[in-house]
């Protein structure tokens, strides 16, 4: 092999190593457990993000509860994380496959237990409490807790953003789900046919509210996600909309 070819080969190998090293820099360390079968109903049908039945919210069983530092008082609801089990030959699935989950719940701390035994979600520990179905794709179910790596990824959703109405004549609340791209909503506005754009406040999770009577007028929504992108959907709900109904608007595009 000539000197030129050898030099070129070394350059290619070094460049490839740098690319691999750069890609791995996106990954952060955490731990993961899964909810027991008897407890999984709470993760699937309730949750601190307000999604209710997450199957209806389009998130299915690929969901997870986040520890305090990750949950960030509910602002992380709807965000997508790629997770893989690492550094445990006994419990990790061979090849360390990854899975993408949606943040749908809060993993509450238990300061009566050590962070190394039971207090997995104690601050400032980074931890994912996954559904059993999601956990089983990266680790063996016999494991109590496994070391993982995670990174934020863009959310791939089918269909548009969904808006579920609730409240009364003087308190209007909307739950926004099926949010693509960043997944997490950081600001929201609503507009009736007889109003201007009204800023909404986060009530809890991804429930947003305002103290305005918006009945008997078509409604439009403006949603801003964590990257700063804003999506406006006009006349999503017709004038005869009712509480507890769900309407579909546009979806974020890359």
């Amino acid at each position: 092999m000539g000197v030129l070819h050898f030099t070129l080969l070394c350059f290619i190998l070094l460049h490839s190593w740098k690319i691999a090293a750069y890609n791995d820099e996106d990954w952060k360390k955490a731990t993961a457990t899964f909810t027991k079968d008897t407890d999984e109903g709470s993760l699937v049908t309730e949750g601190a993000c307000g999604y209710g039945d997450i199957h209806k919210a389009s998130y299915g069983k690929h969901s997870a509860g986040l520890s305090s530092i990750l949950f960030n008082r509910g602002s992380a609801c709807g965000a997508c994380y790629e997770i893989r089990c690492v550094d445990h030959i006994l419990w990790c699935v061979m090849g360390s496959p990854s899975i993408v989950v949606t943040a749908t719940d809060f993993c509450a701390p238990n300061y009566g237990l050590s962070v190394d035994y039971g207090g997995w979600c104690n601050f400032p520990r980074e931890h994912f409490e996954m559904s059993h179905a999601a956990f089983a794709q990266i680790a063996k179910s016999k494991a109590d807790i496994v070391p993982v790596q995670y990174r934020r990824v863009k959310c791939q959703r089918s269909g548009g953003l969904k808006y579920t109405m609730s409240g009364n004549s003087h308190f209007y609340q909307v739950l926004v789900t099926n949010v693509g791209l960043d997944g997490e909503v950081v600001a929201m506005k609503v507009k009736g046919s007889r109003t201007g754009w009204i800023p909404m406040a986060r009530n809890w999770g991804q429930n947003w509210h305002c103290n305005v009577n918006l009945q008997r007028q078509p409604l439009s929504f403006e949603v801003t996600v964590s990257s700063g992108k804003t999506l406006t959907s006009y006349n999503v709900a017709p004038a005869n909309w009712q509480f507890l109904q769900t309407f579909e608007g546009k979806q974020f595009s890359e």
Side-chain angles (χ1 to χ4, degrees):
M1 180 184 294
V3 174
L4 179 60
H5 289 109
F6 179 77
T7 303
L8 181 60
L9 177 61
C10 290
F11 174 79
I12 292 173
L13 290 174
L14 179 62
H15 183 65
S16 299
W17 177 83
K18 286 183 176 179
I19 291 175
Y22 173 77
N23 289 339
D24 282 341
E25 284 179 358
D26 291 335
W27 294 91
K28 299 178 181 180
K29 294 182 178 180
T31 52
T33 53
F34 67 91
T35 54
K36 305 296 183 181
D37 289 339
T38 54
D39 299 330
E40 193 166 324
S42 61
L43 182 64
V44 173
T45 60
E46 298 174 14
C49 290
Y51 293 133
D53 188 332
I54 60 175
H55 292 290
K56 294 180 180 179
S58 305
Y59 302 136
K61 290 188 176 181
H62 287 175
S63 56
L66 275 55
S67 60
S68 300
I69 196 168
L70 294 173
F71 190 69
N72 194 21
R73 298 184 178 181
S75 65
C77 288
C80 294
Y81 297 85
E82 184 179 9
I83 303 175
R84 64 187 182 189
C85 180
V86 295
D87 302 330
H88 206 304
I89 192 171
L90 183 61
W91 299 130
C92 294
V93 171
M94 186 177 297
S96 293
S98 65
I99 186 173
V100 176
V101 299
T102 299
T104 60
D105 200 3
F106 172 54
C107 182
N110 185 346
Y111 293 111
L113 297 175
S114 166
V115 294
D116 297 320
Y117 189 79
W120 318 128
C121 293
N122 291 354
F123 187 87
R125 186 162 183 153
E126 298 181 20
H127 183 83
F128 295 87
E129 185 179 50
M130 304 171 67
S131 66
H132 188 197
F135 185 88
Q137 294 190 37
I138 64 169
K140 298 177 182 178
S141 298
K142 293 181 180 180
D144 289 330
I145 183 171
V146 295
V148 298
Q149 290 178 336
Y150 76 94
R151 61 184 175 185
R152 282 288 305 273
V153 294
K154 294 178 180 178
C155 298
Q156 303 295 326
R157 306 296 187 203
S158 177
L161 274 65
K162 295 180 180 178
Y163 305 89
T164 301
M165 320 296 192
S166 62
N168 54 52
S169 60
H170 301 290
F171 176 82
Y172 174 76
Q173 180 170 275
V174 59
L175 168 66
V176 57
T177 60
N178 201 47
V179 182
L181 203 60
D182 302 335
E184 54 181 349
V185 177
V186 298
M188 192 165 175
K189 295 180 181 179
V190 62
K191 180 183 182 303
S193 59
R194 300 190 298 272
T195 73
W197 284 103
I198 303 169
M200 305 184 77
R202 187 193 302 276
N203 194 330
W204 61 286
Q206 286 299 359
N207 284 283
W208 297 77
H209 77 277
C210 62
N211 297 319
V212 178
N213 186 351
L214 294 170
Q215 292 178 299
R216 294 183 292 280
Q217 51 186 313
L219 301 180
S220 304
F221 297 99
E222 182 181 282
V223 176
T224 303
V225 290
S226 55
S227 64
K229 290 189 175 182
T230 297
L231 178 70
T232 304
S233 296
Y234 291 98
N235 300 321
V236 174
N240 62 347
W241 64 266
Q242 300 293 321
F243 290 120
L244 303 183
Q245 287 184 319
T246 299
F247 300 94
E248 185 171 333
K250 296 180 181 178
Q251 181 59 269
F252 283 97
S253 58
E254 297 185 18

